[in-house]
């Protein structure tokens, strides 16, 4: 059994430490007292330099957090994931996205080795046998998908690629395609349609011609209502506007190859149930990324993520960036009781990073019960929100500086710009540094309205440049940091039962919107339904 964090001795020590001193921690005093603070609380991980020094943490508190991690058997749990054990126990599935970015020599990992690893990991992890992942399946599918991607890129007849998918089948690929636009081949436009609001699909179709459009139907399950509705409408449009040869103009990215076939799609790239939707951009779901940046670029994305995997897997906890970030998240959520985290990518190319991270963090760790289904007496995932800087500064940073709640901010910046326009990048970086500085230092003013309290924490992540490999590392860093906090909280970060109820109710309500039957509904839903009847 994993020990739940609130039952460990370290949890009580952290609480005592918080009450006796940490709650009065002052960043300005901490820097004044320790000339080495920046070095002590910053580190280089693969492709990502992280400055944690502007956080409300000292060596003593961080040591206690490492002790907490050890008492919660974090390393065993991590090793169980890397061994292919079914740690997503409510769905009896392994958590295998990490196997999608193994380099070819690592493909030799076999189930037997994985079983040994679990056995050696001791009692904490032994419960996770048997192994459900067969990593050797990965490379052939990857090769087929990348060959297809390169063929699409070279096909001058295809001018528009439309990805139809939602959630993990949209957010990751969309975020990465925008982030790596600098590396994309010219001449092909990539569109992402996710919303069942027909306005979105109609707007894209208005820009496309059937003979020059490729539709990618991206759905792990191939049952998601929004995606299926959009896919059907796209197929009807294709046929109605004279499109022929569905096999050339439609491809499916799914674990449900049979359903794709029934839909009439013969070009299918599969993946496996051990790849979670929000962790699936490394699989066939990443096809739009591969079309945008080519097979070499996609392999570089995987390689960057793999470097971060290796770091997470082998670096001692004290020098392990995903571990340090995940533990900081626990420190803030459960002891400081901060409810939110703001993501501030100072990069227009990373403008969809906040949306992507919302799903990653909130769908993974927005849980209220422990692994045994018992209600938790402490908080889990924070609310994530954000916009690229400097735009956010002119919108909601007011609240970050002077609001009544403290919201830790996570800056992401690039040392080198992805464009050649002179004068812009220094202004952009100066703003990122200035905001982090202003949050920390504040400004005394007796007038009240102009007073900035300061001591507001932030983390600063710096990439040398935004490239396929650095983006891969950045995403994997976030995946693993979410793993760490979820592991400490003792929750299953890999299921998402909370999305099911709304889906069931929507099916019922959709029929009522046509029939007008409001019988048995609550007063508000019935009242609104009568105002919305679909004629
Ligand atoms: O409803 C939530 C969810 O299941 C996400 O976890 C997932 O990323 C998304 O829907 C899309 O699912 P699918 O890829 O199966 O269409």
């Amino acid at each position: 059994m994993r020990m739940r964090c609130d039952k460990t001795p370290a949890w009580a020590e952290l609480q005592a430490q918080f009450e006796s001193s940490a709650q009065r921690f002052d960043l300005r005093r901490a820097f004044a007292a320790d000339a080495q603070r920046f070095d002590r609380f910053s580190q280089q991980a693969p492709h990502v330099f992280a400055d944690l020094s502007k956080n409300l943490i000292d060596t003593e508190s961080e040591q206690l957090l490492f002790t907490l991690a050890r008492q919660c058997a974090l390393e065993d749990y991590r090793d169980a994931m890397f061994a292919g054990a079914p740690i997503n126990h409510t769905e009896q599935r392994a958590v295998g996205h990490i196997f999608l970015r193994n380099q070819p020599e690592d493909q030799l990992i076999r189930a037997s080795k994985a079983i040994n690893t679990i056995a050696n990991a001791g009692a904490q992890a032994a419960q996770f046998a048997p192994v459900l992942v067969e990593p050797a399946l990965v490379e052939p599918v990857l090769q087929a998908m990348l060959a297809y991607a390169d063929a699409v890129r070279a096909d001058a007849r295809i001018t528009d690629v439309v990805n139809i998918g939602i959630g993990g089948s949209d957010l990751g690929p969309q975020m990465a395609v925008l982030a790596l636009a600098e590396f994309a081949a010219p001449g092909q436009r990539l569109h992402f349609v996710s919303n069942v609001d027909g306005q979105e699909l109609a707007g894209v179709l208005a820009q496309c011609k059937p003979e020059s459009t490729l539709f990618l139907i991206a759905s792990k399950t191939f049952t998601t209502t929004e995606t299926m509705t959009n896919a059907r409408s796209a197929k009807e449009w294709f046929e109605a506007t004279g499109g022929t040869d569905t096999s050339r103009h439609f491809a499916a990215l799914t674990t449900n190859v049979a359903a794709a076939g029934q839909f009439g799609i013969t070009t299918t790239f599969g993946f496996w149930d051990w790849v979670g939707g929000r962790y699936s951009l490394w699989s066939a779901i990443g096809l739009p990324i591969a079309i945008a940046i080519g097979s070499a670029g996609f392999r570089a994305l995987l390689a960057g993520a793999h470097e971060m995997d290796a770091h997470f897997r082998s670096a001692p906890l004290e020098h392990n960036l995903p571990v340090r970030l995940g533990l900081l998240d626990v420190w803030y959520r459960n002891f400081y009781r901060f409810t939110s985290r703001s993501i501030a990518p100072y990069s227009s190319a990373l403008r969809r990073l906040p949306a992507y991270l919302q799903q990653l963090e909130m769908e993974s760790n927005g849980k209220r019960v422990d692994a045994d289904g018992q209600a938790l007496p402490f908080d889990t995932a924070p609310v994530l929100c954000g916009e690229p800087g400097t735009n956010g500064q002119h919108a909601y940073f007011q609240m970050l500086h002077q609001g009544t709640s403290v919201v830790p901010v996570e800056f992401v910046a690039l040392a080198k710009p992805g464009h050649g326009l002179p004068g812009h990048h220094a202004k952009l970086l100066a703003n990122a540094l200035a905001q982090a500085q202003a949050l920390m230092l504040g400004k005394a003013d007796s007038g009240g309205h102009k007073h900035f309290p300061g001591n507001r924490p932030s983390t600063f992540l710096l990439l040398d440049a935004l490239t396929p490999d650095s983006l891969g590392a950045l995403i994997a860093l976030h995946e693993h940091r979410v793993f760490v906090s979820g592991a400490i909280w003792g929750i299953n970060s890999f299921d998402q039962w909370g999305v099911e109820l709304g889906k069931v109710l929507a099916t019922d309500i959709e029929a009522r919107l046509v029939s007008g039957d409001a019988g048995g509904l609550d007063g508000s839903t019935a009242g609104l339904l009568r105002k919305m009847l679909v004629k």
Side-chain angles (χ1 to χ4, degrees), residues 166-169 219-221 224 227 277-278 359 363 496 499 503:
I166 197 165
S169 300
S219 175
K220 178 177 173 181
T221 55
T224 304
T227 301
R278 55 194 171 274
Q359 186 194 18
E363 196 170 66
Q496 56 283 321
V499 302
K503 291 182 190 175

Side-chain angles (χ1 to χ4, degrees), residues 398-427:
Q398 161 68 37
M399 185 262 197
L400 303 183
H401 288 289
Q402 289 187 317
T404 49
S405 303
V406 174
V407 179
V409 181
E410 196 153 297
F411 293 89
V412 185
L414 314 173
K416 295 194 191 83
H419 60 82
L421 294 177
H424 287 249
H425 203 58
K427 285 192 173 64

Side-chain angles (χ1 to χ4, degrees), residues 255-312:
T255 59
N256 192 349
V257 177
Q262 278 160 19
F263 185 86
I265 297 182
T266 49
T267 310
T268 299
F269 297 95
F271 59 110
W272 305 274
D273 69 357
W274 41 262
V275 180
R278 55 194 171 274
Y279 299 87
S280 64
L281 72 87
W282 322 99
S283 72
I285 294 293
L287 182 58
I289 309 172
I291 291 174
I293 64 172
S295 56
F298 194 79
R299 284 214 184 259
L301 181 84
L302 297 178
H306 185 64
E307 284 180 72
M308 190 59 78
D309 292 344
H311 168 74
F312 178 49

Side-chain angles (χ1 to χ4, degrees), residues 225 500-513:
T225 309
E500 297 304 327
L501 177 60
K503 291 182 190 175
V504 173
L505 295 179
T507 307
D508 174 55
I509 291 174
E510 190 181 338
R512 290 168 180 269
L513 274 168

